[in-house]
Short mmCIF file of all heavy atoms in Angstrom, two decimals:
data_model
loop_
_atom_site.label_atom_id
_atom_site.label_comp_id
_atom_site.label_asym_id
_atom_site.label_seq_id
_atom_site.Cartn_x
_atom_site.Cartn_y
_atom_site.Cartn_z
N MET R 1240 -58.80 17.34 5.27
CA MET R 1240 -57.79 18.01 4.37
C MET R 1240 -58.18 19.44 4.22
O MET R 1240 -59.06 19.81 3.43
CB MET R 1240 -57.79 17.24 3.05
CG MET R 1240 -56.90 16.07 3.06
SD MET R 1240 -56.99 15.16 1.50
CE MET R 1240 -58.10 13.83 1.88
N GLU R 1241 -57.57 20.30 4.97
CA GLU R 1241 -57.89 21.74 4.83
C GLU R 1241 -56.76 22.48 4.29
O GLU R 1241 -55.53 22.35 4.72
CB GLU R 1241 -58.24 22.31 6.15
CG GLU R 1241 -59.46 21.71 6.75
CD GLU R 1241 -59.89 22.31 8.09
OE1 GLU R 1241 -59.98 23.52 8.15
OE2 GLU R 1241 -60.10 21.52 9.10
N SER R 1242 -56.95 23.35 3.27
CA SER R 1242 -55.77 23.98 2.70
C SER R 1242 -55.70 25.37 3.36
O SER R 1242 -56.72 26.05 3.58
CB SER R 1242 -56.03 24.26 1.19
OG SER R 1242 -57.28 24.90 1.01
N ALA R 1243 -54.54 25.72 3.70
CA ALA R 1243 -54.36 27.10 4.45
C ALA R 1243 -54.50 28.19 3.45
O ALA R 1243 -54.20 28.10 2.23
CB ALA R 1243 -53.00 27.10 5.07
N GLY R 1244 -54.95 29.28 3.88
CA GLY R 1244 -55.05 30.48 3.07
C GLY R 1244 -56.51 30.87 2.87
O GLY R 1244 -56.87 31.97 2.88
N LYS R 1245 -57.30 29.79 2.53
CA LYS R 1245 -58.75 30.11 2.26
C LYS R 1245 -59.59 29.55 3.43
O LYS R 1245 -59.85 28.36 3.39
CB LYS R 1245 -59.23 29.62 0.95
CG LYS R 1245 -58.73 30.37 -0.28
CD LYS R 1245 -59.37 29.89 -1.48
CE LYS R 1245 -58.99 30.74 -2.75
NZ LYS R 1245 -59.76 30.35 -3.96
N PRO R 1246 -59.88 30.47 4.32
CA PRO R 1246 -60.76 30.01 5.42
C PRO R 1246 -62.15 29.61 4.90
O PRO R 1246 -62.73 30.33 4.05
CB PRO R 1246 -60.77 31.11 6.42
CG PRO R 1246 -60.51 32.35 5.49
CD PRO R 1246 -59.62 31.84 4.31
N ARG R 1247 -62.70 28.56 5.43
CA ARG R 1247 -63.99 28.22 5.08
C ARG R 1247 -64.97 28.53 6.12
O ARG R 1247 -64.79 28.31 7.28
CB ARG R 1247 -64.14 26.71 4.80
CG ARG R 1247 -63.43 26.32 3.47
CD ARG R 1247 -63.81 24.97 3.10
NE ARG R 1247 -63.30 24.55 1.71
CZ ARG R 1247 -63.59 23.45 1.14
NH1 ARG R 1247 -64.41 22.57 1.70
NH2 ARG R 1247 -63.12 23.14 -0.09
N ILE R 1248 -66.03 29.24 5.77
CA ILE R 1248 -67.05 29.69 6.73
C ILE R 1248 -68.28 28.80 6.48
O ILE R 1248 -68.85 28.80 5.38
CB ILE R 1248 -67.40 31.15 6.56
CG1 ILE R 1248 -66.04 31.91 6.74
CG2 ILE R 1248 -68.50 31.51 7.55
CD1 ILE R 1248 -66.37 33.52 6.50
N THR R 1249 -68.59 28.04 7.50
CA THR R 1249 -69.82 27.20 7.36
C THR R 1249 -71.03 27.97 8.01
O THR R 1249 -70.88 28.57 9.00
CB THR R 1249 -69.60 25.88 8.14
OG1 THR R 1249 -69.17 26.14 9.41
CG2 THR R 1249 -68.65 25.10 7.39
N ARG R 1250 -72.11 27.91 7.40
CA ARG R 1250 -73.29 28.63 7.88
C ARG R 1250 -73.91 27.92 9.09
O ARG R 1250 -74.47 28.50 9.98
CB ARG R 1250 -74.35 28.70 6.75
CG ARG R 1250 -74.09 29.77 5.78
CD ARG R 1250 -75.23 30.14 4.98
NE ARG R 1250 -76.32 30.77 5.91
CZ ARG R 1250 -77.58 30.60 5.79
NH1 ARG R 1250 -78.05 29.69 4.91
NH2 ARG R 1250 -78.50 31.27 6.51
N LYS R 1251 -73.78 26.62 9.16
CA LYS R 1251 -74.42 25.86 10.21
C LYS R 1251 -73.61 25.94 11.49
O LYS R 1251 -72.38 25.75 11.47
CB LYS R 1251 -74.56 24.35 9.82
CG LYS R 1251 -75.61 24.12 8.79
CD LYS R 1251 -75.84 22.68 8.73
CE LYS R 1251 -76.98 22.35 7.64
NZ LYS R 1251 -77.18 20.90 7.43
N SER R 1252 -74.23 26.49 12.42
CA SER R 1252 -73.56 26.71 13.76
C SER R 1252 -74.30 26.01 14.88
O SER R 1252 -75.54 26.17 14.92
CB SER R 1252 -73.28 28.20 13.96
OG SER R 1252 -72.88 28.40 15.35
N PRO R 1253 -73.68 25.28 15.69
CA PRO R 1253 -74.38 24.78 16.85
C PRO R 1253 -74.95 25.75 17.89
O PRO R 1253 -75.67 25.51 18.68
CB PRO R 1253 -73.42 23.78 17.55
CG PRO R 1253 -72.02 24.33 17.16
CD PRO R 1253 -72.24 25.00 15.71
N LEU R 1254 -74.36 26.96 17.58
CA LEU R 1254 -74.74 28.05 18.59
C LEU R 1254 -75.74 29.00 18.05
O LEU R 1254 -75.76 30.15 18.40
CB LEU R 1254 -73.52 28.80 19.04
CG LEU R 1254 -72.45 27.97 19.84
CD1 LEU R 1254 -71.22 28.76 20.12
CD2 LEU R 1254 -73.08 27.45 21.17
N LYS R 1255 -76.47 28.57 16.99
CA LYS R 1255 -77.41 29.45 16.37
C LYS R 1255 -78.47 29.83 17.36
O LYS R 1255 -78.87 29.06 18.27
CB LYS R 1255 -78.01 28.82 15.14
CG LYS R 1255 -78.99 27.73 15.59
CD LYS R 1255 -79.70 27.20 14.31
CE LYS R 1255 -80.64 26.18 14.68
NZ LYS R 1255 -81.34 25.60 13.46
N PRO R 1256 -78.89 31.11 17.34
CA PRO R 1256 -79.87 31.51 18.28
C PRO R 1256 -81.17 30.87 18.15
O PRO R 1256 -81.79 30.71 17.14
CB PRO R 1256 -79.99 33.01 17.94
CG PRO R 1256 -79.60 33.16 16.59
CD PRO R 1256 -78.51 32.08 16.29
N VAL R 1257 -81.67 30.31 19.25
CA VAL R 1257 -82.92 29.56 19.30
C VAL R 1257 -83.67 30.11 20.46
O VAL R 1257 -83.22 30.26 21.56
CB VAL R 1257 -82.68 28.07 19.55
CG1 VAL R 1257 -83.98 27.41 19.78
CG2 VAL R 1257 -82.00 27.52 18.32
N ILE R 1258 -84.90 30.52 20.18
CA ILE R 1258 -85.82 31.00 21.11
C ILE R 1258 -86.61 29.86 21.73
O ILE R 1258 -87.14 29.07 20.97
CB ILE R 1258 -86.72 32.10 20.55
CG1 ILE R 1258 -85.86 33.26 20.04
CG2 ILE R 1258 -87.70 32.51 21.64
CD1 ILE R 1258 -86.74 34.27 19.41
N LYS R 1259 -86.63 29.76 23.03
CA LYS R 1259 -87.41 28.75 23.70
C LYS R 1259 -88.73 29.11 24.16
O LYS R 1259 -88.82 30.22 24.83
CB LYS R 1259 -86.55 28.19 25.00
CG LYS R 1259 -85.26 27.56 24.40
CD LYS R 1259 -84.39 27.33 25.56
CE LYS R 1259 -83.07 26.70 25.18
NZ LYS R 1259 -82.27 27.53 24.29
N LEU R 1260 -89.67 28.41 23.71
CA LEU R 1260 -91.04 28.87 23.99
C LEU R 1260 -91.84 27.86 24.88
O LEU R 1260 -91.51 26.69 24.86
CB LEU R 1260 -91.85 28.95 22.58
CG LEU R 1260 -91.24 29.96 21.64
CD1 LEU R 1260 -92.13 29.89 20.33
CD2 LEU R 1260 -91.21 31.33 22.16
N CYS R 1261 -92.79 28.47 25.59
CA CYS R 1261 -93.56 27.56 26.46
C CYS R 1261 -94.44 26.53 25.66
O CYS R 1261 -95.10 27.00 24.64
CB CYS R 1261 -94.49 28.53 27.29
SG CYS R 1261 -95.72 27.61 28.24
N PRO R 1262 -94.35 25.26 26.00
CA PRO R 1262 -95.13 24.29 25.22
C PRO R 1262 -96.67 24.49 25.44
O PRO R 1262 -97.43 23.83 24.67
CB PRO R 1262 -94.67 22.88 25.76
CG PRO R 1262 -94.12 23.22 27.12
CD PRO R 1262 -93.59 24.68 27.10
N LYS R 1263 -97.04 25.16 26.38
CA LYS R 1263 -98.50 25.35 26.62
C LYS R 1263 -99.08 26.62 25.99
O LYS R 1263 -100.07 26.51 25.35
CB LYS R 1263 -98.75 25.46 28.11
CG LYS R 1263 -98.63 24.22 28.92
CD LYS R 1263 -99.02 24.29 30.34
CE LYS R 1263 -98.83 22.98 31.07
NZ LYS R 1263 -99.22 23.14 32.47
N CYS R 1264 -98.32 27.68 26.11
CA CYS R 1264 -98.94 29.02 25.59
C CYS R 1264 -97.98 29.70 24.49
O CYS R 1264 -98.34 30.75 24.00
CB CYS R 1264 -99.26 29.85 26.67
SG CYS R 1264 -97.77 30.50 27.50
N LEU R 1265 -96.83 29.01 24.30
CA LEU R 1265 -95.85 29.52 23.29
C LEU R 1265 -95.32 30.92 23.67
O LEU R 1265 -94.94 31.76 22.83
CB LEU R 1265 -96.48 29.62 21.90
CG LEU R 1265 -96.88 28.22 21.31
CD1 LEU R 1265 -97.42 28.37 19.95
CD2 LEU R 1265 -95.66 27.30 21.29
N HIS R 1266 -95.40 31.27 25.01
CA HIS R 1266 -94.83 32.43 25.44
C HIS R 1266 -93.22 32.13 25.65
O HIS R 1266 -92.86 31.08 25.79
CB HIS R 1266 -95.41 32.86 26.89
CG HIS R 1266 -95.21 34.25 27.24
ND1 HIS R 1266 -94.14 34.67 28.07
CD2 HIS R 1266 -95.87 35.39 26.79
CE1 HIS R 1266 -94.29 36.02 28.26
NE2 HIS R 1266 -95.26 36.46 27.45
N VAL R 1267 -92.51 33.22 25.54
CA VAL R 1267 -91.07 33.09 25.70
C VAL R 1267 -90.73 32.64 27.12
O VAL R 1267 -91.16 33.22 28.03
CB VAL R 1267 -90.33 34.37 25.32
CG1 VAL R 1267 -88.85 34.26 25.48
CG2 VAL R 1267 -90.65 34.82 23.90
N LEU R 1268 -89.93 31.57 27.23
CA LEU R 1268 -89.56 31.11 28.56
C LEU R 1268 -88.38 31.76 29.12
O LEU R 1268 -87.45 32.28 28.43
CB LEU R 1268 -89.24 29.53 28.37
CG LEU R 1268 -90.33 28.67 28.02
CD1 LEU R 1268 -89.82 27.27 27.75
CD2 LEU R 1268 -91.29 28.62 29.21
N LYS R 1269 -88.37 31.79 30.37
CA LYS R 1269 -87.21 32.25 31.16
C LYS R 1269 -86.37 31.05 31.73
O LYS R 1269 -86.94 29.99 32.04
CB LYS R 1269 -87.64 33.06 32.34
CG LYS R 1269 -88.39 34.34 31.90
CD LYS R 1269 -87.42 35.45 31.69
CE LYS R 1269 -88.16 36.78 31.50
NZ LYS R 1269 -87.26 38.01 31.33
N ARG R 1270 -85.16 31.19 31.89
CA ARG R 1270 -84.34 30.13 32.32
C ARG R 1270 -84.61 30.01 33.90
O ARG R 1270 -84.64 30.97 34.58
CB ARG R 1270 -82.81 30.42 32.21
CG ARG R 1270 -82.47 30.12 30.77
CD ARG R 1270 -80.98 30.32 30.47
NE ARG R 1270 -80.17 29.35 31.20
CZ ARG R 1270 -78.86 29.19 31.07
NH1 ARG R 1270 -78.19 29.96 30.27
NH2 ARG R 1270 -78.15 28.27 31.71
N GLY R 1271 -84.63 28.82 34.27
CA GLY R 1271 -84.83 28.56 35.77
C GLY R 1271 -83.53 28.55 36.48
O GLY R 1271 -83.01 29.68 36.78
N SER R 1272 -83.02 27.45 36.82
CA SER R 1272 -81.79 27.39 37.59
C SER R 1272 -80.54 27.70 36.68
O SER R 1272 -80.47 27.51 35.54
CB SER R 1272 -81.53 26.02 38.09
OG SER R 1272 -80.27 25.89 38.57
N LYS R 1273 -79.63 28.54 37.41
CA LYS R 1273 -78.47 28.93 36.60
C LYS R 1273 -77.53 27.68 36.39
O LYS R 1273 -76.59 27.77 35.61
CB LYS R 1273 -77.65 29.93 37.36
CG LYS R 1273 -78.41 31.31 37.36
CD LYS R 1273 -77.73 32.40 38.05
CE LYS R 1273 -78.45 33.70 37.92
NZ LYS R 1273 -77.74 34.81 38.73
N LEU R 1274 -77.65 26.71 37.27
CA LEU R 1274 -76.83 25.47 37.11
C LEU R 1274 -77.39 24.43 36.09
O LEU R 1274 -76.84 23.46 35.78
CB LEU R 1274 -76.76 24.82 38.42
CG LEU R 1274 -76.01 25.57 39.55
CD1 LEU R 1274 -76.10 24.78 40.79
CD2 LEU R 1274 -74.49 25.77 39.15
N GLY R 1275 -78.53 24.82 35.58
CA GLY R 1275 -79.13 23.99 34.54
C GLY R 1275 -78.30 23.74 33.31
O GLY R 1275 -77.53 24.67 32.92
N GLY R 1276 -78.29 22.54 32.87
CA GLY R 1276 -77.45 22.24 31.68
C GLY R 1276 -76.01 21.74 32.19
O GLY R 1276 -75.31 21.17 31.25
N TRP R 1277 -75.75 21.82 33.42
CA TRP R 1277 -74.46 21.36 33.78
C TRP R 1277 -74.59 20.26 34.89
O TRP R 1277 -74.30 19.14 34.59
CB TRP R 1277 -73.65 22.54 34.49
CG TRP R 1277 -72.31 22.17 34.84
CD1 TRP R 1277 -71.39 21.43 34.11
CD2 TRP R 1277 -71.66 22.61 36.00
NE1 TRP R 1277 -70.23 21.32 34.88
CE2 TRP R 1277 -70.29 22.03 36.01
CE3 TRP R 1277 -72.01 23.34 37.15
CZ2 TRP R 1277 -69.40 22.18 37.03
CZ3 TRP R 1277 -71.07 23.57 38.17
CH2 TRP R 1277 -69.89 23.01 38.10
N LEU R 1278 -75.07 20.60 36.03
CA LEU R 1278 -75.31 19.65 37.01
C LEU R 1278 -76.74 18.93 36.87
O LEU R 1278 -76.81 17.69 37.14
CB LEU R 1278 -75.24 20.25 38.44
CG LEU R 1278 -73.83 20.75 38.85
CD1 LEU R 1278 -73.85 21.39 40.18
CD2 LEU R 1278 -72.81 19.56 38.91
N ILE R 1279 -77.58 19.76 36.46
CA ILE R 1279 -79.03 19.19 36.25
C ILE R 1279 -79.49 19.70 34.94
O ILE R 1279 -78.97 20.67 34.41
CB ILE R 1279 -79.87 19.76 37.36
CG1 ILE R 1279 -79.86 21.32 37.41
CG2 ILE R 1279 -79.43 19.15 38.83
CD1 ILE R 1279 -80.80 21.90 38.48
N PRO R 1280 -80.47 19.04 34.40
CA PRO R 1280 -81.13 19.52 33.25
C PRO R 1280 -81.67 20.97 33.29
O PRO R 1280 -82.16 21.28 34.37
CB PRO R 1280 -82.28 18.59 32.97
CG PRO R 1280 -81.94 17.33 33.76
CD PRO R 1280 -81.14 17.83 34.90
N GLN R 1281 -81.37 21.62 32.26
CA GLN R 1281 -81.82 23.13 32.33
C GLN R 1281 -83.36 23.11 32.38
O GLN R 1281 -84.06 22.56 31.63
CB GLN R 1281 -81.42 23.80 31.01
CG GLN R 1281 -81.86 25.25 30.94
CD GLN R 1281 -81.27 26.12 32.00
OE1 GLN R 1281 -80.06 26.35 32.05
NE2 GLN R 1281 -82.01 26.57 33.00
N ASP R 1282 -83.84 23.90 33.29
CA ASP R 1282 -85.30 24.04 33.53
C ASP R 1282 -85.71 25.45 33.11
O ASP R 1282 -84.88 26.45 33.21
CB ASP R 1282 -85.74 23.75 34.92
CG ASP R 1282 -85.14 24.57 35.96
OD1 ASP R 1282 -83.94 25.00 35.76
OD2 ASP R 1282 -85.83 25.01 36.88
N TYR R 1283 -86.88 25.61 32.72
CA TYR R 1283 -87.35 26.87 32.27
C TYR R 1283 -88.76 27.17 32.96
O TYR R 1283 -89.40 26.21 33.39
CB TYR R 1283 -87.57 26.91 30.77
CG TYR R 1283 -86.26 26.63 29.96
CD1 TYR R 1283 -85.95 25.37 29.63
CD2 TYR R 1283 -85.41 27.68 29.70
CE1 TYR R 1283 -84.75 25.15 29.04
CE2 TYR R 1283 -84.18 27.42 29.04
CZ TYR R 1283 -83.84 26.16 28.72
OH TYR R 1283 -82.76 25.90 28.11
N TYR R 1284 -89.15 28.43 33.00
CA TYR R 1284 -90.42 28.75 33.55
C TYR R 1284 -91.10 29.87 32.62
O TYR R 1284 -90.40 30.65 32.04
CB TYR R 1284 -90.41 29.09 34.94
CG TYR R 1284 -89.69 30.47 35.29
CD1 TYR R 1284 -90.44 31.66 35.33
CD2 TYR R 1284 -88.34 30.51 35.43
CE1 TYR R 1284 -89.83 32.86 35.59
CE2 TYR R 1284 -87.77 31.75 35.78
CZ TYR R 1284 -88.42 32.86 35.76
OH TYR R 1284 -87.76 34.05 36.05
N CYS R 1285 -92.37 29.78 32.59
CA CYS R 1285 -93.14 30.73 31.76
C CYS R 1285 -93.83 31.76 32.70
O CYS R 1285 -94.47 31.36 33.64
CB CYS R 1285 -94.17 29.90 31.05
SG CYS R 1285 -95.26 30.95 30.10
N GLN R 1286 -93.64 32.94 32.42
CA GLN R 1286 -94.20 34.02 33.20
C GLN R 1286 -95.61 34.27 32.85
O GLN R 1286 -96.31 34.81 33.61
CB GLN R 1286 -93.44 35.28 33.06
CG GLN R 1286 -92.03 35.29 33.68
CD GLN R 1286 -91.29 36.65 33.62
OE1 GLN R 1286 -91.39 37.25 32.52
NE2 GLN R 1286 -90.66 37.07 34.67
N ASN R 1287 -96.06 33.62 31.75
CA ASN R 1287 -97.37 33.93 31.34
C ASN R 1287 -98.38 33.04 31.95
O ASN R 1287 -99.41 33.48 32.46
CB ASN R 1287 -97.43 33.78 29.75
CG ASN R 1287 -98.73 34.37 29.26
OD1 ASN R 1287 -99.28 35.36 29.53
ND2 ASN R 1287 -99.32 33.47 28.30
N CYS R 1288 -98.04 31.65 31.88
CA CYS R 1288 -99.09 30.65 32.42
C CYS R 1288 -98.56 29.92 33.57
O CYS R 1288 -99.23 29.18 34.23
CB CYS R 1288 -99.38 29.72 31.29
SG CYS R 1288 -98.06 28.56 30.87
N GLY R 1289 -97.29 30.19 34.07
CA GLY R 1289 -96.79 29.50 35.18
C GLY R 1289 -96.15 28.11 34.94
O GLY R 1289 -95.82 27.46 35.93
N TYR R 1290 -96.05 27.77 33.66
CA TYR R 1290 -95.51 26.45 33.40
C TYR R 1290 -94.01 26.47 33.89
O TYR R 1290 -93.31 27.42 33.82
CB TYR R 1290 -95.51 26.27 31.90
CG TYR R 1290 -94.56 25.18 31.38
CD1 TYR R 1290 -94.94 23.76 31.51
CD2 TYR R 1290 -93.37 25.37 30.92
CE1 TYR R 1290 -94.09 22.83 31.09
CE2 TYR R 1290 -92.48 24.50 30.44
CZ TYR R 1290 -92.85 23.09 30.55
OH TYR R 1290 -92.00 22.10 30.16
N ARG R 1291 -93.60 25.27 34.40
CA ARG R 1291 -92.19 25.11 34.78
C ARG R 1291 -91.74 23.69 34.43
O ARG R 1291 -92.47 22.74 34.77
CB ARG R 1291 -92.09 25.30 36.27
CG ARG R 1291 -90.64 25.46 36.73
CD ARG R 1291 -90.67 25.72 38.24
NE ARG R 1291 -89.31 26.18 38.65
CZ ARG R 1291 -88.87 27.46 38.72
NH1 ARG R 1291 -89.79 28.37 38.42
NH2 ARG R 1291 -87.64 27.68 39.12
N GLY R 1292 -90.62 23.55 33.76
CA GLY R 1292 -90.19 22.27 33.41
C GLY R 1292 -89.00 22.33 32.42
O GLY R 1292 -88.47 23.42 32.17
N ILE R 1293 -88.61 21.25 31.92
CA ILE R 1293 -87.41 21.18 31.00
C ILE R 1293 -87.83 20.95 29.50
O ILE R 1293 -87.02 20.96 28.66
CB ILE R 1293 -86.51 19.99 31.41
CG1 ILE R 1293 -87.16 18.62 31.34
CG2 ILE R 1293 -85.94 20.16 32.76
CD1 ILE R 1293 -86.30 17.45 31.47
N VAL R 1294 -89.17 20.89 29.34
CA VAL R 1294 -89.56 20.74 28.04
C VAL R 1294 -90.00 22.16 27.48
O VAL R 1294 -90.65 22.99 28.11
CB VAL R 1294 -90.95 19.84 27.92
CG1 VAL R 1294 -91.43 19.72 26.50
CG2 VAL R 1294 -90.60 18.49 28.57
N PHE R 1295 -89.51 22.31 26.21
CA PHE R 1295 -89.79 23.62 25.58
C PHE R 1295 -89.87 23.47 24.11
O PHE R 1295 -89.58 22.42 23.54
CB PHE R 1295 -88.72 24.62 25.84
CG PHE R 1295 -87.27 24.16 25.49
CD1 PHE R 1295 -86.89 24.30 24.07
CD2 PHE R 1295 -86.52 23.56 26.41
CE1 PHE R 1295 -85.71 23.79 23.78
CE2 PHE R 1295 -85.21 23.05 26.00
CZ PHE R 1295 -84.80 23.33 24.74
N VAL R 1296 -90.49 24.43 23.43
CA VAL R 1296 -90.60 24.46 22.06
C VAL R 1296 -89.55 25.38 21.43
O VAL R 1296 -89.43 26.53 21.85
CB VAL R 1296 -91.99 24.94 21.62
CG1 VAL R 1296 -92.08 24.95 20.08
CG2 VAL R 1296 -93.06 24.02 22.10
N GLU R 1297 -88.72 24.89 20.46
CA GLU R 1297 -87.72 25.68 19.87
C GLU R 1297 -88.20 26.49 18.69
O GLU R 1297 -88.87 25.88 17.95
CB GLU R 1297 -86.52 24.79 19.49
CG GLU R 1297 -85.65 24.40 20.54
CD GLU R 1297 -84.32 23.75 20.06
OE1 GLU R 1297 -84.32 23.56 18.84
OE2 GLU R 1297 -83.55 23.36 20.88
N ARG R 1298 -87.77 27.71 18.66
CA ARG R 1298 -88.14 28.42 17.43
C ARG R 1298 -86.84 29.17 17.03
O ARG R 1298 -86.38 30.01 17.72
CB ARG R 1298 -89.30 29.40 17.70
CG ARG R 1298 -89.76 30.07 16.49
CD ARG R 1298 -90.69 31.22 16.81
NE ARG R 1298 -89.92 32.31 17.25
CZ ARG R 1298 -90.50 33.47 17.72
NH1 ARG R 1298 -91.87 33.45 17.95
NH2 ARG R 1298 -89.78 34.50 18.11
N SER R 1299 -86.41 28.85 15.78
CA SER R 1299 -85.27 29.66 15.26
C SER R 1299 -85.83 30.82 14.55
O SER R 1299 -86.76 30.91 13.86
CB SER R 1299 -84.54 28.69 14.24
OG SER R 1299 -83.68 29.48 13.58
N ASP R 1300 -85.12 31.93 14.78
CA ASP R 1300 -85.47 33.22 14.17
C ASP R 1300 -84.84 33.52 12.85
O ASP R 1300 -84.85 34.59 12.41
CB ASP R 1300 -85.19 34.34 15.22
CG ASP R 1300 -86.41 34.88 15.78
OD1 ASP R 1300 -87.52 34.22 15.56
OD2 ASP R 1300 -86.39 35.96 16.40
N GLU R 1301 -84.12 32.50 12.32
CA GLU R 1301 -83.53 32.73 10.97
C GLU R 1301 -84.60 32.98 9.99
O GLU R 1301 -85.52 32.26 9.82
CB GLU R 1301 -82.72 31.52 10.61
CG GLU R 1301 -81.43 31.34 11.58
CD GLU R 1301 -80.61 30.15 10.99
OE1 GLU R 1301 -80.31 30.13 9.86
OE2 GLU R 1301 -80.32 29.29 11.90
N VAL R 1302 -84.19 33.94 9.16
CA VAL R 1302 -85.20 34.39 8.12
C VAL R 1302 -84.86 33.67 6.83
O VAL R 1302 -83.63 33.50 6.50
CB VAL R 1302 -85.10 35.87 7.87
CG1 VAL R 1302 -86.22 36.34 6.91
CG2 VAL R 1302 -85.44 36.59 9.22
N GLY R 1303 -85.78 33.26 6.13
CA GLY R 1303 -85.56 32.62 4.83
C GLY R 1303 -85.47 31.09 4.79
O GLY R 1303 -85.38 30.48 3.81
N GLU R 1304 -85.53 30.56 6.09
CA GLU R 1304 -85.46 29.08 6.10
C GLU R 1304 -86.91 28.59 6.54
O GLU R 1304 -87.22 28.70 7.69
CB GLU R 1304 -84.42 28.58 7.09
CG GLU R 1304 -82.98 28.64 6.44
CD GLU R 1304 -82.03 27.86 7.29
OE1 GLU R 1304 -82.41 26.93 8.03
OE2 GLU R 1304 -80.83 28.21 7.29
N GLU R 1305 -87.52 27.99 5.60
CA GLU R 1305 -88.90 27.52 5.90
C GLU R 1305 -88.73 26.08 6.45
O GLU R 1305 -87.94 25.22 5.96
CB GLU R 1305 -89.74 27.45 4.64
CG GLU R 1305 -89.78 28.80 3.97
CD GLU R 1305 -91.03 29.54 4.51
OE1 GLU R 1305 -92.03 28.87 4.77
OE2 GLU R 1305 -91.02 30.78 4.70
N PRO R 1306 -89.43 25.78 7.40
CA PRO R 1306 -89.44 24.37 7.92
C PRO R 1306 -90.02 23.42 6.84
O PRO R 1306 -91.02 23.74 6.21
CB PRO R 1306 -90.37 24.40 9.16
CG PRO R 1306 -91.17 25.66 8.96
CD PRO R 1306 -90.38 26.63 8.12
N LYS R 1307 -89.33 22.26 6.83
CA LYS R 1307 -89.75 21.31 5.88
C LYS R 1307 -91.11 20.65 6.43
O LYS R 1307 -91.32 20.40 7.52
CB LYS R 1307 -88.77 20.19 5.74
CG LYS R 1307 -87.51 20.65 4.97
CD LYS R 1307 -86.47 19.45 4.82
CE LYS R 1307 -85.22 20.02 4.09
NZ LYS R 1307 -84.25 18.89 4.01
N GLN R 1308 -91.91 20.29 5.38
CA GLN R 1308 -93.19 19.73 5.81
C GLN R 1308 -93.41 18.39 5.22
O GLN R 1308 -92.93 18.22 4.14
CB GLN R 1308 -94.36 20.71 5.31
CG GLN R 1308 -94.20 22.08 5.96
CD GLN R 1308 -95.58 22.66 6.29
OE1 GLN R 1308 -96.55 22.11 5.89
NE2 GLN R 1308 -95.57 23.65 7.08
ZN1 ZN V 2307 -96.83 29.50 29.16
#
């Protein structure tokens, strides 16, 4: 039930910027295949330690939101 006239803006967005980090050295990962995420799982590689794979550590750069512990 949405009323017209007052648009609602939600803060939560599935497209929020997330930085993908290397699980080994926490260096910023580069995307591997351009087809990743569509035909095949998106793979990433690390220029720092040479890691390559689909596993990464997510880090959100939003300020003010502390991770729950
Ligand atoms: Zn690395």
Side-chain angles (χ1 to χ4, degrees):
M1240 279 177 259
E1241 295 181 52
S1242 58
K1245 284 191 175 183
R1247 286 194 173 185
I1248 301 175
T1249 52
R1250 280 198 70 220
K1251 286 187 178 178
S1252 169
L1254 295 177
K1255 71 175 181 179
V1257 172
I1258 298 178
K1259 296 172 177 62
L1260 301 177
C1261 173
K1263 289 187 178 179
C1264 69
L1265 296 182
H1266 199 261
V1267 179
L1268 289 173
K1269 296 272 188 178
R1270 284 182 69 170
S1272 170
K1273 289 182 180 178
L1274 293 176
W1277 183 42
L1278 293 175
I1279 56 175
Q1281 178 66 67
D1282 61 322
Y1283 301 92
Y1284 68 93
C1285 175
Q1286 289 182 318
N1287 191 44
C1288 72
Y1290 164 83
R1291 193 179 193 92
I1293 61 173
V1294 180
F1295 55 83
V1296 177
E1297 277 191 1
R1298 191 190 75 189
S1299 166
D1300 251 10
E1301 289 184 54
V1302 185
E1304 282 194 28
E1305 301 271 324
K1307 290 181 181 178
Q1308 302 221 344

